[in-house]
Amino acid sequence: MYESTNLDLFPYPFHNIKEGSNYRYSNDLRKLEKDHTNCVVITPEYEKQIKRKRELLKEQPAVRFQSYPHTMAMQWEVVEMLIEMAVDRYPEHFQVEKNGNHWTFHNYILNETESFIFGDASSIELEPLDLIGRHFTTDFVLMVHRDDNLYLEVAQESYAALFSPHWNKGMTFDEIHAPVPFVSRTGVPLAERVRNFLIRNVLPGEPWTRINWNLMANRWDVNYETFDTWGPTRFLVTPENAGDLVRLRVEEQFFYRMPRSNAILFVLNTQFLAMKDLVLRPEWLNQTYSILSDIPKPMAEYKGFSPFIEPTVEYLKNLVEKIEFQTN
Amino acid sequence: MKAFGKIEVYVGKIVQETKYIKRFHLYPVDRELLPAFTGGSHIATYVKNGAETIERNYSLVSHPTDRTQYAIAIRKDDHSRGGSVYWHDEIKVGDRLEISWPKNHFPLAFKAAKHHVFYAAGIGITPFMTMMEDLTAEGKSFELHYAARTKEDCAFYDYLMAKYPGKCHFYFSRTEIPKKMTPVTMAEHRIGSHVYFCGPASMVKEFREAAESYGYPSYAIHFELFAVADKGPKNPFVVKLTNSNKKVAVSEEETLLEALLKAGVQAPHSCKVGGCGSCEVQVMEGEVDHRDHFYKDGERGSKKVILTCCSRAKESEKELVLEL
Ligand code: HEM
Ligand code: FES
């Protein structure tokens, strides 16, 4: 479907792991730096990705978009923020005209125009987030803060792994993470700690980020609803074909506290890199090989790559040795 | 509302609310709309005084969905660190300053909250102004108990009387027939009521303890304090940081958070007065002298954590080991 071709825009997941160290779950949220708070990114794959996203939304509307009726005002607040981010970063691609509450949003990459009365859901055919979300390649989730927890009340998802608005709707942060073997290096349970950190530290005007990663065998889109089709392909990987079949699947995540709804907007930018493309950045190749060689069993089981982690590591080992041989 | 981070505003209007309280109206310099906010929110204000920046948090008192301006109300406090005195004596219409986005560490309760009861002492009224606006818009049930010295000293008296008839109970202590606001009224609120306190530390303490004794569940008790509770002398100590591999010395003069930030450690934080939990760090070794008013009593023992903005190492401890 699409692979990242501009490696400068690829969110390599292990930047913040010290050389020689392994990967374990932790509270790895980082505050975004002042000039990097904008989650709108246009990569060379933009049009391809939008096309596929819209197909998925059309094929499985109920699986891909869910919301509660009381979330309309919350969704409009997100619409305003996303449009502002898009126009601010890419004025050559996006433009907005505001005539009182009558807004016209131009997307010049796709040559599309959206006209609506801001705040009036009856002026559009889709729900506000479903409409604006179709102009961006990222997935969007609104986690509403109520008392001590965050509740999933709106979501539009096409790429994020093991995620389904239909399945996850209404769940708390803790319920969503229940399948994850979410413990720290020293065995401390993380869900409550991370949830509290989100509630206390992701504040309006101060967005945060983290990166999630996985490995995919010959498949782009993985959610529970389609497990029967992608589950078996995981057994086809060998040290010879892993370079083509296996991809590093990365989710760059952004967390914005919405000032009026007090919800956290969770944005996921999913990108893929084929194992064979790691040679383009030898330091990535070396580190990825070393990290994949030391993944705890429960984590590999959970992430779903235990059927092919061994041939993949074998492939990377051969590649690392080949490069060392060439440079020596 | 373009960039994240701080917002540049100017003072457009100053109103003498009572003898000691002034209301300041802040307008965005770039004329963009300001972020709307939730009831109970505050902003951090950053005022330049020569080389020094005076940073203070103030609750917003303007309407949560009014995006053309923000208003804050400040009581002049001659005994404070000087922020309010500076605002009262030096700030003029036209002055510029930076503010944070609105943040809320004192949000309205949601689950099973059938009725909301606010107890305000003096300038403690401010966060409730916006909470009552939100509840009114949502058609929810609430009442206000508000203590001041006299009617003249009672900020927003006329506004509240007119806007929320039948919902406000005033207690004036320096009048011919003085009336004292006490916790006993809490015994009468119906089941499912949530209580909220804002005022001096002594008042908040009295009301919290009373609410517990009346059997209010802990999730139904909410409060906000404006200053760190002063709990004993500041002893010097050292922290060892496992993630960044650093050692930082904390002197008698500073908080642990200040020492960490000075040493270039990216320590999370927000309110800086021990009330929001943002600065929590895991403790690997050492005993903590907890000075926050954030954790519930039982939690302090069971969790190995420290709030760096206010808590310190126990007198007997020379060193704490932190996961940071
Ligand atoms: C608030 C927004 C968040 C939402 C909506 C969310 C949602 C999800 C979902 C749906 C999954 C897949 C669960 C499954 O297997 O059924 C997941 C996995 C996970 N989440 Fe979150 N998450 C959020 C924030 C976070 C944060 C802040 C962290 C970490 C510090 C985190 C750490 C993880 C980890 C480690 C996994 C396992 C992923 C893997 O190893 O591949 N999540 N999350
Ligand atoms: S910063 Fe709020 S509790 Fe320390």
Side-chain angles (χ1 to χ4, degrees), chain A residues 23 25-29 141 143 150 152 161-164 167-168 173 176-177 179-182 194 198 210 212-214 224 253 255 264 266 299 302-303:
Chain A
Y23 176 86
Y25 290 142
S26 65
N27 175 7
D28 47 6
L29 282 160
V141 181
M143 298 291 291
L150 297 164
L152 190 144
L162 298 178
F163 209 114
S164 151
W167 168 248
N168 294 124
F173 180 88
I176 291 172
H177 289 90
V180 181
F182 208 7
V194 169
L198 284 172
R210 69 179 286 272
N212 195 39
W213 66 275
N214 207 337
Y224 289 124
Q253 308 179 338
F255 301 83
I264 291 180
F266 179 42
M299 194 192 291
Y302 167 73
K303 284 180 180 271

Side-chain angles (χ1 to χ4, degrees), chain A residues 18 37 80-81 84-85 88 146-147 151 192-193 196-197 200-201 203-207 256 259-262, chain B residues 1-2 4-5 36-38 64-65 67 101-103 109-111 134 270 276-278 280 282 294 303:
Chain A
K18 277 179 237 144
T37 53
E80 179 182 355
M81 190 169 106
E84 265 166 22
M85 285 203 258
D88 193 46
R146 300 187 187 279
D147 302 321
Y151 296 79
E192 183 193 343
R193 198 189 274 185
N196 282 335
F197 191 89
R200 297 169 193 166
N201 289 285
L203 301 172
E206 299 174 13
Y256 297 91
R260 174 60 186 156
S261 66
N262 216 18
Chain B
M1 208 178 120
K2 279 229 167 60
F4 293 102
F37 55 92
T38 44
T65 58
R67 296 177 57 186
W101 281 45
K103 308 176 202 182
F110 180 76
K111 223 182 306 172
D134 274 354
S270 178
C276 73
S278 300
E280 178 183 286
Q282 307 296 319
F294 177 75
K303 288 186 185 169

Side-chain angles (χ1 to χ4, degrees), chain B residues 32 34 80 89 96 110 161 190 201 227 230 262 278 280:
Chain B
E32 298 273 339
L34 293 163
S80 78
D89 294 351
R96 285 190 181 196
F110 180 76
M161 282 295 272
R190 62 182 164 109
D230 193 14
K262 218 164 67 191
S278 300
E280 178 183 286

Side-chain angles (χ1 to χ4, degrees), chain A residues 165-325:
Chain A
H166 190 58
W167 168 248
N168 294 124
K169 183 181 172 185
M171 286 188 182
T172 62
F173 180 88
D174 304 51
E175 286 163 350
I176 291 172
H177 289 90
V180 181
F182 208 7
V183 292
S184 76
R185 205 171 278 281
T186 49
V188 180
L190 287 171
E192 183 193 343
R193 198 189 274 185
V194 169
R195 183 234 303 156
N196 282 335
F197 191 89
L198 284 172
I199 289 174
R200 297 169 193 166
N201 289 285
V202 176
L203 301 172
E206 299 174 13
W208 292 67
T209 187
R210 69 179 286 272
I211 297 185
N212 195 39
W213 66 275
N214 207 337
L215 297 177
M216 288 292 120
N218 205 22
R219 174 78 195 184
W220 302 106
D221 154 45
V222 279
N223 58 18
Y224 289 124
E225 281 86 348
T226 54
F227 181 81
D228 56 326
T229 60
W230 57 267
T233 60
R234 298 176 300 163
F235 294 91
L236 305 175
V237 178
T238 66
E240 289 70 41
N241 67 18
D244 289 307
L245 283 194
V246 179
R247 291 173 188 88
L248 190 57
R249 165 200 193 99
V250 177
E251 288 168 12
E252 183 181 26
Q253 308 179 338
F254 299 87
F255 301 83
Y256 297 91
R257 177 71 76 135
M258 302 307 297
R260 174 60 186 156
S261 66
N262 216 18
I264 291 180
L265 174 68
F266 179 42
V267 182
L268 300 106
N269 168 25
T270 304
Q271 299 293 335
F272 301 94
L273 193 68
M275 283 292 134
K276 65 172 194 289
D277 287 341
L278 281 170
V279 280
L280 301 172
R281 295 281 168 97
E283 67 284 8
W284 291 3
L285 172 65
N286 283 324
Q287 192 186 27
T288 305
Y289 164 56
S290 135
I291 281 174
L292 292 187
S293 311
D294 179 16
I295 295 292
K297 223 173 158 33
M299 194 192 291
E301 285 292 334
Y302 167 73
K303 284 180 180 271
F305 57 55
S306 30
F308 60 94
I309 182 70
E310 279 174 27
T312 305
V313 170
E314 183 73 21
Y315 167 83
L316 292 175
K317 178 165 170 260
N318 294 338
L319 202 57
V320 168
E321 281 169 3
K322 198 166 116 196
I323 290 179
E324 273 169 9
F325 180 74

Side-chain angles (χ1 to χ4, degrees), chain A residues 108-154:
Chain A
Y108 294 115
I109 310 176
L110 304 172
N111 272 319
E112 289 179 353
T113 298
E114 306 282 3
S115 294
F116 50 83
I117 300 171
F118 186 86
D120 179 357
S122 71
S123 68
I124 48 178
E125 280 177 25
L126 297 164
E127 289 190 23
L129 184 63
D130 199 11
L131 176 100
I132 203 68
R134 290 170 194 239
H135 291 270
F136 304 109
T137 53
T138 38
D139 293 322
F140 299 100
V141 181
L142 258 188
M143 298 291 291
V144 182
H145 178 193
R146 300 187 187 279
D147 302 321
D148 293 339
N149 222 315
L150 297 164
Y151 296 79
L152 190 144
E153 300 191 3
V154 190

